[in-house]
Amino acid sequence: MGDNKIKILEVVTVPTEKSGIPNVAFNIMGALPREDVELGYVAINDPSEFFKDKLADLGARLFVIPRKLTSPWNYVVRLAKVAKGYDVMHVHGNSATMVLEMIAARIAGVKIRAAHSHSTSCSMKSIDRLARPLFHSLCNCRLACGQDAGTWLFGERHFEVIRNGIDTSEFRFDESRRKDIRSQLGLADEYLIGNIANFLEVKNHRFLIEIMRALNDRRRDIKLLLLGDGELAEQIKADVRSKGLEDVVFFAGSVSNPADYMSAMDFIIMPSIHEGLPLTLIEEQANGLSAMVSDAITKEADLTGNLTYMSLGDSADKWTDKLELLIEKAPRNSSVSEKSIEKIIKQGYDISSSANSLIELFRSYPG
């Protein structure tokens, strides 16, 4: 590609909202060297002003193209039209349904057709299985957030790991933010467990509420703070009411300052049914938080030694037994956060490292 700018079209196959995959895409775009790239961004929904402002700041052109697997051809045709003239189509998803983007890129003559795997499973397994042969024949640049996510989608084919990097400075523990958020929540010395995830089946909030019910039966000085939105939010709120936990569980919704809320927390629980390498879990570790997570989450996520893995086959009571032991030895202070950040940077999870790896890969692409 010489010394010219690389024209990259970022495509996110899930709604552009405050959640894992879009956050990864925006982190990467924000860290790419402006002088080296020209960016386009395809959203399958009309993003909020929050994301539109971010794209404007990046100088990235926004294209909104609805993506319906029941009638895919219109999406493919529109995406191919948008993609003409780009050097790279960088597609973020979690299954071989990214074949739609690969087809569009091929039609448009895009040289680098990159699929970026962000999970270790998907919800549409039958479609995924049917799409894989064509997907593998068209995808010529395979990326993943971690080894497990790459193996899930690409099998034994070669892929490159692009780490879910973060701006570590943004997530440092802040005592003043901690006091402000806890004051807003009406908390004094209560122990605050947190979970940051949209309300989707895969995030397993029902099991998390069951853990809190068991914990609340044993002690009344522990609260739960949930950040996120999603299709199951009202069901989870109803579950909380049915268990009499209205004074125990707080719903903060989707917020623009998650780092402030992390500082207010004392511990994280993430009982996800499947994940790739969760970006929020890296951010939480940078904040100095320890976490108890499901064994469906890759061991690669433990960058600090502060994660404890539990089986989803274990009961809520067993999770609660372990939780009671863990919360007694999870200090919250700036020193823990700084040491965690040092470990995260050392292992290449600072966003500048991730962006540099990606741009070097695209520049060195054969042909």
Side-chain angles (χ1 to χ4, degrees), residues 68-323:
K68 296 181 180 179
L69 296 183
T70 52
S71 53
W73 189 241
N74 183 55
Y75 171 76
V76 169
V77 170
R78 292 179 64 186
L79 180 58
K81 185 176 180 180
V82 163
K84 285 187 182 297
Y86 281 92
D87 303 304
V88 182
M89 185 187 288
H90 181 196
V91 188
H92 301 264
N94 58 21
S95 74
T97 63
M98 287 187 281
V99 69
L100 299 182
E101 288 75 20
M102 299 298 105
I103 293 171
R106 180 67 175 270
I107 291 171
V110 177
K111 185 169 75 169
I112 303 177
R113 302 182 294 275
H116 196 145
S117 176
H118 289 275
S119 190
T120 55
S121 188
C122 68
S123 58
M124 294 175 286
K125 292 184 178 178
S126 295
I127 298 175
D128 168 75
R129 187 168 55 251
L130 289 170
R132 286 201 175 210
L134 183 56
F135 168 76
H136 289 310
S137 71
L138 293 177
C139 174
N140 62 9
C141 181
R142 294 174 290 274
L143 310 173
C145 64
Q147 290 293 332
D148 291 348
T151 300
W152 143 254
L153 186 58
F154 304 118
E156 295 182 358
R157 296 168 181 83
H158 175 76
F159 60 87
E160 298 285 344
V161 171
I162 302 297
R163 296 181 177 90
N164 283 357
I166 65 169
D167 179 354
T168 51
S169 63
E170 181 182 345
F171 293 94
R172 281 188 169 90
F173 175 80
D174 189 306
E175 185 66 43
S176 64
R177 291 177 179 179
R178 177 179 175 85
K179 290 177 179 176
D180 287 346
I181 296 296
R182 290 176 75 92
S183 175
Q184 292 173 31
L185 295 171
L187 296 175
D189 298 326
E190 293 92 340
Y191 195 88
L192 186 60
I193 293 171
N195 177 275
I196 303 176
N198 281 338
F199 293 90
L200 305 170
E201 201 70 46
V202 68
K203 302 301 182 179
N204 211 10
H205 284 91
R206 288 190 180 90
F207 185 58
L208 177 53
I209 300 305
E210 187 58 30
I211 293 170
M212 287 307 299
R213 182 205 58 76
L215 187 60
N216 193 57
D217 286 345
R218 304 183 191 189
R219 48 193 295 180
R220 300 301 171 93
D221 61 334
I222 300 179
K223 309 293 184 181
L224 174 65
L225 175 60
L226 301 176
L227 269 63
D229 286 325
E231 59 193 36
L232 298 181
E234 292 307 315
Q235 292 182 34
I236 299 303
K237 290 176 182 178
D239 196 23
V240 166
R241 290 191 295 270
S242 71
K243 290 179 168 57
L245 297 175
E246 299 99 315
D247 296 330
V248 176
V249 181
F250 300 88
F251 293 85
S254 180
V255 301
S256 59
N257 56 336
D260 294 359
Y261 285 83
M262 290 177 195
S263 287
M265 298 170 183
D266 296 298
F267 195 83
I268 295 294
I269 301 183
M270 186 180 283
S272 302
I273 295 170
H274 62 78
E275 292 273 4
L277 200 158
L279 186 70
T280 54
L281 199 49
I282 299 172
E283 296 166 348
E284 289 155 356
Q285 289 177 85
N287 193 262
L289 284 159
S290 296
M292 184 166 68
V293 305
S294 77
D295 57 3
I297 294 173
T298 177
K299 299 297 190 294
E300 294 172 83
D302 190 3
L303 304 179
T304 60
N306 293 330
L307 303 192
T308 298
Y309 289 83
M310 293 288 291
S311 171
L312 287 173
D314 289 337
S315 66
D317 282 324
K318 190 164 184 178
W319 277 62
T320 305
D321 290 341
K322 188 66 174 180
L323 177 60

Side-chain angles (χ1 to χ4, degrees), residues 5-10 26 29-30 32-35 37-41 51-63 86:
K5 284 189 174 184
I6 302 176
K7 296 186 68 176
I8 304 173
L9 184 65
E10 297 282 339
F26 272 82
M29 287 191 294
L32 291 171
R34 300 284 184 92
E35 66 275 10
V37 299
E38 181 179 327
L39 292 171
Y41 181 86
F51 288 105
K52 288 178 179 177
D53 289 344
K54 279 182 170 288
L55 289 169
D57 289 343
L58 293 169
R61 188 175 177 187
L62 170 64
F63 306 94
Y86 281 92

